[in-house]
Amino acid sequence: MRQAGRYMAEYREIRKKRTLLEICKSPELALEVTLQPVRALEVDAAILFADILLPLEPMGAPFEFAAGEGPVIHHPVRDRAGVERLRVIEPEEGLGYVLEAVRLIRKELDGKTPLIGFAGAPFTLASYLIEGGKSTNYALTKCMMYNEPETWHALMQKFAEVVRRYLHAQIDAGAQAVQLFDSWVGALSPEDYREYILPHVKYILESVEKANVPVIHFGTGTGSLLELQKEAGGSVIGVDWRVPLDQAISRLGPGVAVQGNLDPLLMFANDELLEKRVKSIVDRGRQAAGHIFNLGHGILPEMSLEKVQSVARWVHEHGKRGA
Ligand code: CP3
């Protein structure tokens, strides 16, 4: 996740001339940026270069990435009329450029490295649409959820249908695994997750799992939600660094693969400590039905490429031993 980005000089070079949205909308540039970390890190999978927010624009909620601020949605949606106006699009009509990028990347990777596609989950998308950008406490989002449950569920249904179609379209275009990012759902209690979120995520994942590719269900701050996320679906459950990986594995039970879970800030630790923590995670992961090593959240722009390369190397070296 976020393996491409501003910590890489080649990416910054492209970003000098193009906005993030321009890169996403040009399949050739998206191809180039997708391949940059594959070449530099020798990771085991490529991650499509796109953004979870891309569906908002064709649905009727344009946005931009403002320098230093993150995403800004021009007209946040906060009432029933706003939800009614959102369009449930067909991926080929509004997001054809992403599907074209998937086809190009697959051709270029030529079976050597698998490609992971992705989409945002309904809660995380709704949080941006309602708040108008990033948020610390999701106050407006929760207000709609608690006080206008019909509007809330109508919004969740629209996102769930768009995301379901979009993930299927990415798989049809060649994605060999897909990831559903519910990055901010950890802000909810288990009770609220069950009532307001789970049915909608389940609707997406039950359908996408029929396509027979691995489905990664990701969140952060989800220590109290892991079992519910498993119930909602996915063949791989993302675990962040706040939960020891072996504990997460025993809570999730047999047959579940996990993804995780290095604290991204450990990238700023010395090599000795970092390598120790990487090895510990690889060891804890051996008890699971499968383990995708990653950072519990994204790479920061200040991180050194050399450290990220070292982590990839240590995972490979230690992962092989005793495997
Ligand atoms: O290599 C990759 O991982 C592929 C591309 C990717 C991006 N966004 C490109 C991007 C992926 C997988 C995402 C997912 C994404 N986008 C998530 C879910 C994962 C997570 O981190 O929780 C979320 C919540 C977003 C929304 C988003 N996009 C935010 C909040 C920001 C601003 C962050 C910041 O640091 O400014 C973005 C911008 C963004 N999307 C960047 C990249 C590489 C930052 C770099 C840039 O501005 O060029």
Side-chain angles (χ1 to χ4, degrees):
M1 165 193 39
R2 299 265 194 101
Q3 61 187 22
R6 290 165 293 189
Y7 74 107
M8 294 186 78
E10 300 122 281
Y11 178 81
R12 288 195 301 270
E13 205 46 49
I14 295 183
R15 279 285 275 118
K16 274 189 201 151
K17 288 169 253 143
R18 310 290 182 131
T19 66
L20 179 55
L21 284 178
E22 281 167 354
I23 302 175
C24 292
K25 288 182 179 182
S26 152
E28 289 76 19
L29 289 175
L31 163 69
E32 172 54 24
V33 176
T34 299
L35 296 183
Q36 285 174 353
V38 176
R39 289 193 291 251
L41 307 174
E42 300 183 49
V43 280
D44 299 323
I47 300 167
L48 167 68
F49 194 83
D51 196 90
I52 61 162
L53 300 178
L54 297 177
L56 293 184
E57 183 183 302
M59 288 179 75
F63 66 95
E64 65 186 303
F65 289 102
E69 256 185 85
V72 177
I73 284 75
H74 296 313
H75 304 286
V77 168
R78 293 178 183 159
D79 57 19
R80 183 76 198 208
V83 171
E84 296 294 337
R85 279 195 296 271
L86 291 172
R87 288 186 292 274
V88 178
I89 52 155
E90 287 295 345
E92 282 290 355
E93 95 194 35
L95 295 159
Y97 58 88
V98 178
L99 304 174
E100 187 50 34
V102 171
R103 288 187 279 264
L104 261 183
I105 297 164
R106 266 308 297 280
K107 212 157 90 199
E108 192 67 27
L109 290 171
D110 193 26
K112 290 188 199 85
T113 307
L115 175 65
I116 306 176
F118 69 90
F123 176 83
T124 295
L125 292 175
S127 78
Y128 285 105
L129 180 68
I130 297 168
E131 308 289 337
K134 65 176 185 216
S135 172
T136 45
N137 57 11
Y138 309 97
L140 295 165
T141 309
K142 289 187 181 183
C143 279
M144 184 193 281
M145 200 171 84
Y146 295 136
N147 297 323
E148 295 177 65
E150 281 178 23
T151 305
W152 174 261
H153 285 293
L155 176 60
M156 291 290 101
Q157 270 168 14
K158 285 195 167 179
F159 273 136
E161 185 55 22
V162 168
V163 168
R164 187 188 72 81
R165 291 179 190 175
Y166 185 35
L167 289 175
H168 274 294
Q170 291 182 36
I171 295 166
D172 291 343
Q176 290 139 301
V178 288
Q179 178 152 204
L180 185 70
F181 282 111
D182 217 348
S183 302
W184 311 132
V185 80
L188 298 179
S189 68
E191 198 176 4
D192 287 341
Y193 184 91
R194 181 175 287 290
E195 180 161 349
Y196 298 108
I197 311 300
L198 193 146
H200 305 289
V201 174
K202 200 169 184 172
Y203 174 79
I204 299 169
L205 296 180
E206 260 178 5
S207 169
V208 173
E209 279 179 88
K210 292 197 185 108
N212 275 325
V213 301
V215 178
I216 307 161
H217 186 174
F218 172 90
T220 67
T222 46
S224 68
L225 301 177
L226 292 176
E227 291 85 353
L228 287 168
Q229 287 185 296
K230 177 191 166 190
E231 191 178 325
S235 36
V236 185
I237 304 294
V239 179
D240 84 6
W241 62 96
R242 297 168 182 93
V243 184
L245 197 59
D246 49 339
Q247 286 180 25
I249 292 164
S250 57
R251 276 171 55 191
L252 288 165
V256 181
V258 291
Q259 175 176 276
N261 72 342
L262 188 75
D263 183 341
L265 271 296
L266 271 164
M267 285 295 181
F268 296 111
N270 61 65
D271 276 10
E272 197 191 342
L273 177 61
L274 179 56
E275 183 176 6
K276 203 168 108 194
R277 294 301 172 86
V278 167
K279 285 181 167 176
S280 150
I281 290 169
V282 171
D283 282 337
R284 289 166 198 261
R286 291 189 206 278
Q287 300 160 35
H291 177 206
I292 301 169
F293 182 98
N294 82 343
L295 305 192
H297 214 166
I299 296 179
L300 301 175
E302 301 79 16
M303 286 172 182
S304 102
L305 175 64
E306 291 70 31
K307 285 263 191 201
V308 186
Q309 285 170 326
S310 299
V311 167
R313 202 180 61 244
W314 292 327
V315 171
H316 283 141
E317 283 170 8
H318 198 63
K320 267 186 213 125
R321 232 173 295 144

